[in-house]
Structures are given as structure tokens and as C-alpha cells.
Amino acid sequence: MPLEEEVKRVGAKGATLEYIRQNCPLVPIAPYVLVPVGYDWKDYRTEISGLGSEVLARSSSPLEDGKNLSFAGLFDTVKFKDDSDVDLVFQSTKSPATLRYAQIHGITGPIDMGLVFQTNTESSWNWGMLRHPHRRNILFIMGRPVPDPYRNSKN
């Protein structure tokens, strides 16, 4: 499935995780369960419970990390213990900061949200993915240790 279609189906974070898992198998990714946009996450309880006791409930909106929109830091990621934790992730689509950002960028409809349930590994690495600015079929995937040794820790 093309990446753009996968983003619509499971959101940007979920599509990115799937892309990396399928195309860059040497990149370590903590186990996860994707819940597509519009699906009831409760239907995935069996798979989610298979992730263990340290699980994060993460946002995965089709609007995240796009070419013209980011929403970075506006949607919540929470430690998943019960249903109310998932409610917090969905409620973050209606936070004042999120609604203001959406208004600034002309988004008038509801903000769709898929979910990623992922094992919390307290990773010592921070990973990122960038699309080449002129060739849409080229993606750069990079990782760096956390804390970043090239950054002054006093900032």
C-alpha cells in the first residue's frame, strides 16, 4: 500500500512505523499494535495485552507530520493502564493548543485519530524520518543516542 494511503488508514505515526519495519528491518522498533482511524481500540485488547505491562498509548493522526502540518507535541502519549488513558489521547485533539493550531492552518472538520499501542522501552536512542525535499520517494531515517552528545545539556 502506498505510504499516503497508509497514513490515511492508520495515521502518520503508525504508517511511519510500518514503513520502517517493512523497509529497514535493522532499525530497532519496540513492538506495537496499530488501531486504524475510525476503529474501536477495544477490539484490539488481546493484541495490546500481548505487548506486556509497560505500554504507551500514542496518537497517530493522518494530520501529524505532514508536508505542511506537524501537530508535533500537540497530541498526547500516555502510559496505558486503563480506558481513561486512551480517552486522554483522544481528548488531546480538542485541547486549546491543538484547536488553535488547526484554526491557523484552516482545518475546520474533526481531527481524525488512529492509535499506536507500543511497548515502552525507555530507549536510549531517538529516531527520526525525513522526506527528501525534492524526491518524494526518498526517505532519510536516522537515529542518535539520548541524551544527544552534540547538544549542550545546560540548554
Side-chain angles (χ1 to χ4, degrees):
M1 177 180 298
L3 187 56
E4 290 79 13
E5 288 180 34
E6 191 70 355
V7 167
K8 289 177 187 173
R9 189 178 79 78
V10 295
K13 194 173 289 149
T16 300
L17 286 168
E18 279 294 289
Y19 180 89
I20 294 170
R21 185 182 62 75
Q22 292 173 9
N23 295 285
C24 307
L26 297 179
V27 174
I29 298 176
Y32 60 89
V33 172
L34 299 180
V35 178
V37 173
Y39 283 60
D40 186 348
W41 72 270
K42 295 172 187 169
D43 294 339
Y44 294 79
R45 282 191 194 271
T46 301
E47 293 92 335
I48 294 165
S49 67
L51 294 173
S53 61
E54 290 291 320
V55 175
L56 300 173
R58 306 177 71 196
S59 64
S60 188
S61 173
L63 295 174
E64 287 180 290
D65 305 324
K67 182 178 178 183
N68 298 317
L69 296 172
S70 171
F71 282 88
L74 293 173
F75 300 137
D76 286 340
T77 292
V78 298
K79 288 188 177 183
F80 173 66
K81 297 295 179 198
D82 60 41
D83 294 10
S84 65
D85 298 319
V86 179
D87 293 340
L88 291 173
V89 177
F90 283 118
Q91 288 170 9
S92 67
T93 66
K94 294 177 172 65
S95 75
T98 300
L99 294 176
R100 178 71 181 132
Y101 185 82
Q103 179 186 28
I104 289 168
H105 293 281
I107 298 168
T108 58
I111 297 173
D112 291 331
M113 181 73 68
L115 295 169
V116 175
F117 289 87
Q118 190 167 25
T119 302
N120 185 8
T121 62
E122 300 294 336
S123 175
S124 61
W125 282 79
N126 185 357
W127 292 90
M129 183 169 89
L130 301 170
R131 185 179 301 278
H132 189 283
H134 308 293
R135 298 184 60 198
R136 293 184 48 82
N137 62 330
I138 296 177
L139 299 171
F140 300 101
I141 299 170
M142 59 191 169
R144 67 175 185 222
V146 176
D148 185 347
Y150 303 105
R151 188 176 193 176
N152 182 347
S153 63
K154 294 180 183 179
N155 289 340

